[in-house]
Amino acid sequence: MVKFLPLKQAVAENLNHGDAVAFEGFTHLIPTAAAHEAIRQGFRDLTLIRMTPDLIYDQMIGMGMAKKIIFSYVGNPGVGLLRRARDAIENGFPRPLEIEEHSHAGMANAYEAGAAGLPCAVFRGYRGAGLAAVNPNIKSVTCPFTGEVLAAVPSIRPDVTFIHAQKADKKGNVLIEGIIGIQKEAVLAAKRAVVTVEEVVDNFDDLYPNLTVLPRWTIAAISVVPGGSHPSYAHGYYARDNAAYLEWDEIAADREKFQAWMQANVIEKSADDFAARVEYLRKAA
């Protein structure tokens, strides 16, 4: 049964030390507020799963929360490196970080297999690439019907998935518009799912029923956090804050500057600070 909870409580009730956790959103609707709440609560030994680790995973890795990342692209979109992730991978700071790298297609198929309750995903992929040489979880199988050699990877089945969306109705159904990415599959593959939303509306009666991307029975908790995706964007609500991505490159390049920024902008803040930004963000959309 889905529950409407404050974000602090939703994170505390659904995330545990040592969990495999996905904070998904493909450029659009990245669950920044949820990730920041996880940072404030100090979770450790997490396996972080995400197709495109960006600022939120750079921050979580830099705070020593991750023991492993499963991913298909590590970078600051449109800018360059994730410097805290690179420091952890190359120098073991603030702790050593295990990596499992896939292609976007591999990750998407693994999430879909997890959503279907299957043990692995089988697809055409990794041809001409060297990832299989460095990732033992990339296997090959021969189709019993055609003899074609295909790629196989383990399904992704997180303990908990966090996503951001535009709307929930009062029954707990969730509506996502714009770029959906892999959010739906990431939720269906997980044991538990927490969704932050821009707003709650009475119902979706004026919309086509198939726009309800996630029915209430797939979700453990919903938290209303206006602006909860910033600095990424929420279609119909606010634009991507490109300046923040540029600024992050300089912040993350220095260990002490990173720690000071995190203390001032994450540790000492709360989900309410995201809500306070919503009018500015909507005007900038």
Side-chain angles (χ1 to χ4, degrees), residues 4-271:
F4 287 86
L5 298 173
L7 182 57
K8 183 176 182 179
Q9 183 179 352
V11 172
E13 289 187 4
N14 288 283
L15 184 59
N16 303 293
H17 296 295
D19 273 354
V21 54
F23 290 81
E24 273 296 353
F26 198 75
T27 301
H28 179 228
L29 297 174
I30 294 171
T32 308
H36 283 183
E37 184 55 44
I39 292 170
R40 282 189 290 273
Q41 294 189 26
F43 291 98
R44 289 292 183 267
D45 297 323
L46 301 176
T47 296
L48 299 178
I49 307 165
R50 182 168 161 76
M51 286 184 65
T52 56
D54 63 353
L55 272 58
I56 57 172
Y57 276 18
D58 210 29
Q59 293 166 3
M60 297 175 84
I61 290 166
M63 296 300 288
M65 298 172 67
K67 67 177 181 181
K68 178 180 179 179
I69 55 171
I70 300 173
F71 65 97
S72 52
Y73 167 78
V74 168
N76 182 342
V79 180
L81 303 174
L82 286 183
R83 298 185 183 274
R84 291 299 89 223
R86 181 168 183 169
D87 202 7
I89 293 167
E90 293 185 348
N91 304 311
F93 183 88
R95 60 174 292 178
L97 183 66
E98 183 183 349
I99 64 171
E100 182 178 328
E101 184 175 4
H102 291 276
S103 66
H104 279 343
M107 290 282 288
N109 276 278
Y111 271 126
E112 189 170 21
L118 297 173
C120 69
V122 177
F123 59 103
R124 293 186 180 94
Y126 299 107
R127 295 176 179 177
L131 281 175
V134 296
N135 183 351
N137 277 334
I138 299 172
K139 308 288 187 181
S140 61
V141 296
T142 301
C143 175
F145 303 104
T146 67
E148 182 180 5
V149 177
L150 302 167
V153 296
S155 61
I156 293 176
R157 307 185 77 174
D159 293 305
V160 57
T161 289
F162 292 86
I163 66 167
H164 188 71
Q166 283 100 339
K167 294 181 177 72
D169 68 14
K170 290 186 175 180
K171 294 179 180 179
N173 303 299
V174 168
L175 173 68
I176 305 176
E177 297 179 288
I179 298 174
I180 295 175
I182 203 69
Q183 286 98 307
K184 178 176 68 175
E185 289 80 3
V187 165
L188 296 178
K191 296 175 183 175
R192 304 176 299 279
V194 176
V195 183
T196 55
V197 296
E198 293 292 325
E199 62 177 327
V200 174
V201 297
D202 289 337
N203 53 61
F204 299 145
D205 289 351
D206 58 339
L207 301 172
Y208 292 108
N210 64 349
L211 289 179
T212 305
V213 175
L214 293 168
R216 58 187 176 180
W217 52 266
T218 65
I219 301 164
I222 294 172
S223 299
V224 182
V225 188
S229 187
H230 179 265
S232 75
Y233 73 100
H235 174 73
Y237 289 81
Y238 46 88
R240 187 177 190 266
D241 187 349
N242 292 314
Y245 287 86
L246 291 169
E247 291 165 2
W248 182 252
D249 189 58
E250 181 180 351
I251 293 163
D254 182 87
R255 292 175 180 176
E256 291 184 2
K257 183 178 288 188
F258 164 78
Q259 287 290 342
W261 190 94
M262 292 297 292
Q263 184 66 33
N265 294 279
V266 178
I267 304 302
E268 297 176 3
K269 300 284 186 177
S270 71

